[in-house]
Amino acid sequence: MESKVIGNYLKAIRLKKGYSEEYVSFKLNISQSTISNFENGKIKMDIRRLVQFCEVLDIHIQELVNFFLAQSEEHKTSPLVITSHHVETPQMLVQRLEKIEQQIAKQNQLLLRLLE
């Protein structure tokens, strides 16, 4: 279920940045329950709102697309048939994001050493 995958990812980013549902709903001028329902995969958000949501979280829409495609590839499914048992919790996504950030930091350190 793609809306749940996308919602969980955006929720993980929101939590990582320390933003409340209330803050995001204020910035998007929509209700807090709409944010909650979207993040939990209960409703879909149109592309315009999705782009705005990414802007509030200070991420590029391409980052969201890349995550979604990677998630689909990881589970060897088409993006349109991801089922709920393939969806990671927001906490799992935060942990994965932290690991990726650590890997990027290590790669940057190696690149700096090579450039010295």
Side-chain angles (χ1 to χ4, degrees):
M1 177 175 289
E2 69 243 24
S3 59
K4 187 163 181 127
V5 171
I6 292 169
N8 274 344
Y9 182 73
L10 291 175
K11 182 176 184 178
I13 298 288
R14 178 180 61 76
L15 293 172
K16 183 169 175 44
K17 292 188 179 259
Y19 296 163
S20 66
E21 285 180 359
E22 184 178 22
Y23 172 78
V24 174
S25 68
F26 172 77
K27 294 297 254 178
L28 294 175
N29 196 29
I30 57 178
S31 72
Q32 188 173 342
S33 64
T34 299
I35 296 296
S36 178
N37 286 334
F38 171 68
E39 288 181 343
N40 292 311
K42 294 179 183 173
I43 61 171
K44 292 182 179 183
M45 196 171 281
D46 66 45
I47 189 68
R48 181 180 56 82
R49 284 283 190 207
L50 198 54
V51 169
Q52 291 172 339
F53 201 130
C54 288
E55 288 172 354
V56 168
L57 297 179
D58 196 30
I59 63 170
H60 193 277
I61 189 73
Q62 189 62 46
E63 181 179 336
L64 180 63
V65 171
N66 290 344
F67 170 80
F68 184 69
L69 292 174
Q71 188 79 0
S72 301
E73 180 63 27
E74 192 173 294
H75 296 291
K76 304 280 190 265
T77 64
S78 155
L80 300 176
V81 293
I82 294 175
T83 60
S84 60
H85 70 276
H86 288 131
V87 176
E88 295 177 287
T89 66
Q91 293 79 13
M92 293 166 68
L93 289 171
V94 167
Q95 289 174 347
R96 185 165 14 155
L97 287 171
E98 288 171 349
K99 286 180 184 177
I100 291 169
E101 287 173 348
Q102 290 170 356
Q103 291 171 343
I104 290 170
K106 286 179 185 177
Q107 289 173 353
N108 286 342
Q109 288 173 350
L110 288 172
L111 286 172
L112 288 173
R113 284 188 211 147
L114 290 173
L115 294 173
E116 291 177 347

